[in-house]
Amino acid sequence: MPSNKSVSDAPITQFVNCRILRDHKLQREDLWVREGRILDPEKLFFDEQGYADEQVDCEGQILAPGFIDVQINGGFGVDFSQDSQDVAAGVSFVAKNILEHGVTSFCPTLVTSPCSVYHKVLPQVKVHNGGRHGAGVLGFHLEGPFISEEKKGAHLHKYIRSFKSDPVLKLKEVYGSLDNVAVVTLAPELNGSQLVVRELCGRGITVSLGHSVANLSQAEDAVKCGASFITHLFNAMLPFHHRDPGIVGLLTSDQIPAGRTVYYGMIADGVHTNPAALRIAHRAHPAGLVLVTDAIAAMGLPPGRHTLGQQVIEIQGLHAYVAGWTFTGCVSHTHTQRHTHLPNTECFCLSGTKTLSGSIATMDMCVRHFKQASGCSVEEALEAASLHPAQLLGIEHRKGNLNYGSDADFTLLDDHLNVSATYISGEQVWRKER
Amino acid sequence: MKLIILNDYDQASEWAAKYIRNRILLFQPGPEKYFTLGLPTGSTPLGCYKKLIEYCKNGELSFKYVKTFNMDEYVGLPRDHPESFHSFMWNNFFKHIDIVPENTHILDGNAADLVKECNAFEEKISAAGGIELFVGGIGPDGHIAFNEPGSSLVSRTRVKTLAKDTILANAQYFNGDWSKVPKMALTVGVGTVMDAKEVMILITGAHKAFALYKAIEEGVNHMWTVSAFQQHPQTVFVCDEDATLELRVKTVKYFKDLMLVHNKLVEPLT
C-alpha cells in the first residue's frame, strides 16, 4: 500500500471533552482540525507522527455539524428580494447575524419577483465560504416566479409567470444568469416544466416542487426528470387526499428512481405545520426531512414595520399584519395555543386571509421545536438541519457532517440544543456571552 | 515466576495496570532515559489498558518518556482497517494518553519487504536499549504473540503463518467469518521477548486454563511456547480464578498464600 504521508506545518487543534455527532450517533470523541478541515487523528499519529498544537475544552457539550438553511428570505431588517437594497451587503449582514443561530451555510432566497430584481440581484452575490464575516453562501434559492396562481401564498400575483413556448429561453429571460443559483422552486404542473427541470438539474441546480396544485403523477414526473426537493411540505400545495396524495405523496411514492431520495422542507416553527402533521411526515420518511426557517426580514427584529418581497408587513407583539389594513379574522387565533409551546416564536399572515407568510423562528428554535414535537432523537434533530440539507444539495462530501476531510463548520450546543458557540473552518466565529 | 491470582477479570486487569504503573514510576523515566514497554493486543489486555488510561488522565502516570513496541500485526490488512493492530492500539490506548507518536512502534504488515521490516524492528528494540517490561497474553494453544505451536523458542521477529486455532479465535473480530481473518502475521519471536528484562503475561478466562497449565506445570516445550518463560529470571503471570481451573490445587494454594507479599508490588508509591 502506498504511504499516506501528508506533511503540513499548519497548526492542529484538538477539541476535547465533547460529544460529537458522527455516524448518526453522539459519541465521546475528540475532534481534530487542521487548515479548516476535519483531520483523521489516527493517520496523523501513525503517518505523520503528529499531535495537537492546541486543545480546546468543550466542557462536555454537544459538537454538531453547522446548520444549513436552504430557505431564508432575509432577516434583521434585510429582505433579499427588495430591489432597492444593496444585496451583497444585505446578504453579508444576515450571514453574520445567523451565526448566532448555529447556521454556517445558507441559500439566500428570493420570492416571486419581477425580472429586474433577478437581473440586478443574482450577479451580485457569488457562492462563497463562510468565516468570521458570516455564514457561507451556497447559492440563491429562487422560489418562483414559475409557480401556481392558486397556491401563491404571500407571493404577488402580478409577478407570477408561466413558461410559454420556449421554456429554457424563458428561464434565461426571467432569471438572467444562473451561475449563483443553488435551488429553484417551481410548480411542475406548468406546461414546459419538465424541460426546465432537466435543464436546471443538468446544471447542478436543485429543483424543488412547491407553490403548486400538482397531483402526485405530475410530481412524480418532475422527480423522474431530476427534481429532488419539496418546498415547505404541506404549505402552498394541495392537501393530502387518499386518492390523490398530491406532492405530499412523494414521501412514500414508489416511482422515485432507484438510489435517489426526495427531500422535503419543513418549517418547524409550531405554526406552519400542526405537530401531528409534522409527525406524520417524519414517520413516513425520516431520512428526507430538511429543516428550513423560511425566515423573513422581521426575523431577529423587534416589533415594527418590515417588508416581505413587494409587500409591507407590521409586527405587533406576536402577530403581524399587512400595514394599513385592519386585523381581521386570521388563523393566528389558533396560534396562541401553540405559543405556549414556543413562547419566543412569532408568526404572521396577511390580514383578511388565512395565508401564512414566512416565519421568524430561528434555525436553532426550529431544531428544538422539531425534536420536541416529533419526539425524535437529538441526533435526528441535528441531522435534519445539517446532514440532510447537505445531502439535498449534493455537498455532503464536505459539509453537513464531521467526517474526516469535511469542512470544519460546527456548533457547540448544550443538552437543550441552545447554541453556545459557532465555528467555521475550525475558527470560532460566534460565542454566547457568558 | 510469580503467579498472581485475582478473583476476576477486572481485578486482574487492575493489578496488572498498577504493576506497570509502579514499574514506570520507579524507573523514573526522563528525556535521557526512556522506559521501554512491550505491548499486546486482544481482549485480555483491554481492562488493563483502560486502567492505565485512567492513571494517565488523573495525572498519576505519564507516558511522555515511555517507548512502546507492539508484539505483532497482521500481514496485508490495511493499516486503517478497524481490526488492524494499529487501529486497536490507537482506539484502545494511544489516543487516550500522552504518548509521543514517534515513540510507538508497531510492525508494518504492509511493508514492501517483510523480512527487512522484521529485522529493522529488532534493531529498533536494540537501539532503544532493549525492553524493560514486555507485557503479553497467551493463546488457547499456548502461544505467545503469534509464535504458534512449533515455533523455535529462540526465534526472532519474523513472518508467521497463523494456526487454525488462532484464526478461529480471531474470527470474532471479523464478524465471525474466519475466512476474512488474515492468514499471516509479523510477530516478535520467543527469543525477542525472552531478551526483555521482565515479562508479564496476562491470562484470564476458563478457555485459557489448559494453556496456562501446559505453560507452567509441564515442561518447556515448543508446542506451548509460553512455557519458554520458565527459563526467564523475571516473569509474572497475572490471572483470574477461572484461568487456574486446570492447575493443581497445591500450585494455586502456594501462590495465593504469597498474595500478601506480592500485593506490596502494586501499592501506591508516595
Side-chain angles (χ1 to χ4, degrees), chain B residues 154-175:
Chain B
V154 293
S155 50
R156 310 303 306 184
T157 306
R158 68 219 183 286
V159 187
K160 280 295 280 187
T161 303
L162 303 185
K164 191 61 171 281
D165 267 349
T166 304
I167 292 180
L168 288 174
N170 285 344
Q172 58 170 307
Y173 303 116
F174 291 83
N175 284 327

Side-chain angles (χ1 to χ4, degrees), chain B residues 218-251:
Chain B
E218 298 276 285
V220 174
N221 187 324
H222 67 173
M223 284 300 169
W224 301 89
T225 49
V226 177
S227 64
F229 299 106
Q230 293 178 26
Q231 301 203 296
H232 190 290
Q234 289 274 60
T235 306
V236 183
F237 286 88
V238 181
C239 40
D240 62 357
E241 284 278 355
D242 284 348
T244 64
L245 286 173
E246 295 284 351
L247 298 179
R248 297 175 101 206
V249 175
K250 192 158 117 178
T251 312

Side-chain angles (χ1 to χ4, degrees), chain A residues 134-418:
Chain A
V137 172
L138 299 170
F140 281 97
H141 175 166
L142 305 180
E143 192 188 0
F146 302 105
I147 58 172
S148 152
E149 167 62 40
E150 275 175 67
K151 289 291 179 186
K152 62 181 184 290
H155 294 214
L156 278 181
H157 152 77
K158 59 180 171 174
Y159 299 124
I160 292 174
R161 294 172 156 272
S162 55
F163 294 115
K164 300 272 179 354
S165 52
D166 191 338
V168 175
L169 186 63
K170 198 67 174 174
L171 260 188
K172 291 198 176 58
E173 212 181 277
V174 170
Y175 292 141
S177 163
L178 286 168
D179 285 344
N180 303 323
V181 175
V183 185
V184 171
T185 293
L186 49 77
E189 70 274 19
L190 296 180
N191 276 328
S193 69
Q194 291 192 16
L195 275 170
V196 170
V197 173
R198 285 206 197 93
E199 168 73 16
L200 291 169
C201 291
R203 288 164 167 262
I205 294 175
T206 301
V207 174
S208 185
L209 309 179
H211 287 277
S212 158
V213 294
N215 57 35
L216 178 57
S217 172
Q218 288 165 325
E220 283 167 342
D221 286 342
V223 170
K224 286 177 191 161
C225 292
S228 55
F229 196 43
I230 301 171
T231 301
H232 43 54
L233 185 78
F234 296 128
N235 300 105
M237 58 186 64
L238 291 176
F240 175 88
H241 184 284
H242 53 288
R243 277 190 293 278
D244 188 349
I247 291 176
V248 179
L250 286 177
L251 264 55
T252 48
S253 164
D254 59 359
Q255 297 299 306
I256 314 293
R260 286 191 43 208
T261 304
V262 172
Y263 295 90
Y264 56 99
M266 294 286 324
I267 307 172
D269 62 353
V271 171
H272 280 72
T273 311
N274 183 299
L278 173 63
R279 285 190 286 273
I280 286 177
H282 176 242
R283 287 181 204 174
H285 183 30
L289 200 150
V290 171
L291 290 174
V292 301
T293 58
D294 198 13
I296 61 160
M299 185 263 286
L301 285 184
R305 283 193 168 206
H306 313 283
T307 54
L308 171 63
Q310 310 295 314
Q311 297 180 308
V312 179
I313 292 170
E314 188 167 341
I315 296 178
Q316 287 179 13
L318 296 173
H319 298 284
Y321 314 75
V322 172
W325 289 69
T326 327
F327 176 42
T328 57
C330 166
V331 68
S332 70
H333 283 304
T334 58
H335 296 172
T336 45
Q337 265 188 313
R338 288 190 199 92
H339 289 154
T340 58
H341 292 302
L342 269 173
N344 291 324
T345 291
E346 286 106 53
C347 64
F348 46 109
C349 51
L350 301 178
S351 170
T353 69
K354 293 188 178 181
T355 311
L356 294 168
S357 52
S359 141
I360 47 184
T362 63
M363 185 54 112
D364 56 318
M365 279 181 200
C366 291
V367 172
R368 289 190 292 275
H369 180 260
F370 169 57
K371 175 173 185 301
Q372 181 237 315
S374 69
C376 70
S377 63
V378 170
E379 292 90 338
E380 279 184 277
L382 293 170
E383 285 189 339
S386 56
L387 178 65
H388 295 175
Q391 288 170 330
L392 164 70
L393 297 176
I395 55 174
E396 75 265 34
H397 55 283
R398 59 183 179 94
K399 295 243 187 262
N401 55 63
L402 298 174
N403 298 339
Y404 302 138
S406 286
D407 292 348
D409 297 347
F410 56 89
T411 54
L412 288 176
L413 306 125
D414 66 20
D415 285 339
H416 301 288
L417 303 184
N418 295 304

Side-chain angles (χ1 to χ4, degrees), chain A residues 1 29 32 41-43 45-47 49-51, chain B residues 78-79 86-87 90 94-95 99 101-102 104 106:
Chain A
M1 276 243 305
E29 286 283 350
W32 296 65
E42 188 179 340
K43 263 207 173 71
F45 188 90
F46 288 125
D47 278 345
Q49 319 219 295
Y51 43 84
Chain B
R79 209 224 39 231
H86 280 80
S87 293
W90 167 255
F94 296 150
K95 86 174 172 197
I99 194 156
E102 63 221 10
T104 65
I106 308 181

